[in-house]
Amino acid sequence: MIRPFKIAISDDRLSRIRQQVEDFDWQDFPDAGGWRSGVGLGDLRRLVDYWLTTFDWRSQESKLNRRQHHLADIDGQTLHFVKQSGDGSRPPVLLLHGWPGSFLEFESLIDPLTGDGHDVIVPSLPGCAFSGRPDAPIGPRRTAALMDGLMRELFPGSRYLVQGGDWGSAIGAWLAHDYPDRVAALHINMMTAQADGVDPETTEEKAWAGRVSALAEEERGYFLEQSTRPQTLGIAMSDSPVGVAAWILEKFGVWADVPRDDAGRPDLWAAFDEDLLLTNIMLYVAPRSFVTSTWLYRGRVLEGSHVFPAGSRVSVPTGFAVFPDPVFPIPPRSLAERSYRIESWTQMERGGHFAALEQPDLLLADLRAFVKNIR
């Protein structure tokens, strides 16, 4: 069943959040060295000060509600999604966000794509924003099944296009792998799933693997925590909006393609403004969804969906938009081709992990070029 939905956080909930932000105790808060050991306190204080003095959730809520929001019950799971219709001359497009992003990431892509004739669907992943909480952690393969169920409900008998980054790339990959009769094409800007047994072979591939391993030493602590102990983390974060803001802001600062000084401190304000960052953070805080937003990491472990079955491959046309992600570099094409049917490979000069927010025009242009001849 599909029904309209309007975002309406209660006044009591907003008052509670504000009180918690005001009550956060900064006194004698230790600094472990700017951004060298986690989020930069100066940037966090800037964001929190803006939260208390300038940020207006009701204004942002009103802007979000200009889109058509819906809820759908798919195989026991409630999914929130934004839907905007084109003229139906082109296949529907499913846009999939990751963590710690949200449906907000694709705001700049919706109108151009519907103008091209596509119907555009932008869901919130299970446990995120206004989607329902799963009964237990589920991974990207199960999430892919839910997303296909949603698209079947909305567009029975129609094939559709998928674009995703971060978790969206993994879910999109499983959609293309498991439902090749439904997915007309896959476009991704990160590779998080590959065929079992596909290992680096060439000098270039081995160099990439070495870089990934070195980055993991410094950058994967959050991933291990969310993959193994999301419940404990959720309890720690559940009553601290500032804690959630710090956890998320760190990722925007480290993962984005932004200027950095000699000490490695990011100028994240070169790519993002306070209203955008706080609206995205509030989509985790206001509906109390941070706790379950991390369950996808645990679900991936439990279902073993980091690899496709040995000998299998994504058979639908696949396009890669290769942005210079500072933490999650896409492997060389030679390695990716052993798991995907690649028909487009675009090396971008700028833009990081949050491509749809950082460089929406580049992402849109590449997606358009890739799908223009796909029916």
Side-chain angles (χ1 to χ4, degrees), residues 24 44 48 51 236-237 239-249 285 290:
F24 187 81
L44 180 61
V48 171
W51 202 343
M237 292 292 189
D239 207 37
S240 178
V242 175
V244 172
W247 195 256
I248 291 177
L249 187 68
V285 172
F290 179 87

Side-chain angles (χ1 to χ4, degrees), residues 215-260:
L215 285 167
E217 287 290 322
E218 187 70 16
E219 302 295 346
R220 301 267 289 186
Y222 86 97
F223 188 94
L224 292 174
E225 182 70 20
Q226 294 180 179
S227 296
T228 60
R229 300 295 183 267
Q231 181 161 292
T232 309
L233 175 66
I235 291 169
M237 292 292 189
S238 64
D239 207 37
S240 178
V242 175
V244 172
W247 195 256
I248 291 177
L249 187 68
E250 179 202 309
K251 301 312 170 195
F252 276 83
V254 176
W255 295 357
D257 179 30
V258 295
R260 301 176 193 276

Side-chain angles (χ1 to χ4, degrees), residues 75-285:
D75 196 18
Q77 174 68 42
T78 299
L79 295 176
H80 159 259
F81 63 96
V82 172
K83 180 179 186 292
Q84 183 161 309
S85 299
D87 63 14
S89 61
R90 305 286 294 127
V93 179
L94 177 65
L95 302 176
L96 297 170
H97 72 82
W99 185 94
S102 64
F103 66 89
L104 183 64
E105 290 185 52
F106 296 106
E107 177 62 26
S108 296
L109 275 65
I110 296 175
D111 289 340
L113 289 172
T114 55
D116 291 345
H118 302 278
D119 291 338
V120 178
I121 306 300
V122 191
S124 295
L125 300 184
C128 292
F130 307 106
S131 284
R133 300 184 179 196
D135 293 333
I138 59 175
R141 192 172 195 178
R142 169 62 178 151
T143 302
L146 293 170
M147 294 301 166
D148 181 65
L150 174 63
M151 296 302 280
R152 286 176 187 270
E153 184 76 16
L154 292 170
F155 308 103
S158 297
R159 302 175 78 208
Y160 55 90
L161 311 169
V162 181
Q163 201 293 319
D166 193 85
W167 280 122
S169 69
I171 297 163
W174 278 111
L175 277 164
H177 181 277
D178 288 350
Y179 308 100
D181 59 326
R182 296 273 297 149
V183 177
L186 171 68
H187 185 270
I188 51 180
N189 49 285
M190 185 175 173
M191 194 179 101
T192 54
Q194 63 187 47
D196 193 12
V198 171
D199 298 315
E201 296 176 354
T202 69
T203 300
E204 182 185 19
E205 291 168 5
K206 291 178 181 178
W208 165 82
R211 183 186 174 204
V212 168
S213 179
L215 285 167
E217 287 290 322
E218 187 70 16
E219 302 295 346
R220 301 267 289 186
Y222 86 97
F223 188 94
L224 292 174
E225 182 70 20
Q226 294 180 179
S227 296
T228 60
R229 300 295 183 267
Q231 181 161 292
T232 309
L233 175 66
I235 291 169
M237 292 292 189
S238 64
D239 207 37
S240 178
V242 175
V244 172
W247 195 256
I248 291 177
L249 187 68
E250 179 202 309
K251 301 312 170 195
F252 276 83
V254 176
W255 295 357
D257 179 30
V258 295
R260 301 176 193 276
D261 65 17
D262 293 340
R265 289 186 292 263
D267 179 9
L268 58 83
W269 313 107
F272 312 109
D273 64 45
E274 291 91 342
D275 282 321
L276 172 64
L277 291 170
L278 284 169
T279 300
N280 185 70
I281 287 166
M282 281 289 284
L283 291 174
Y284 286 88
V285 172

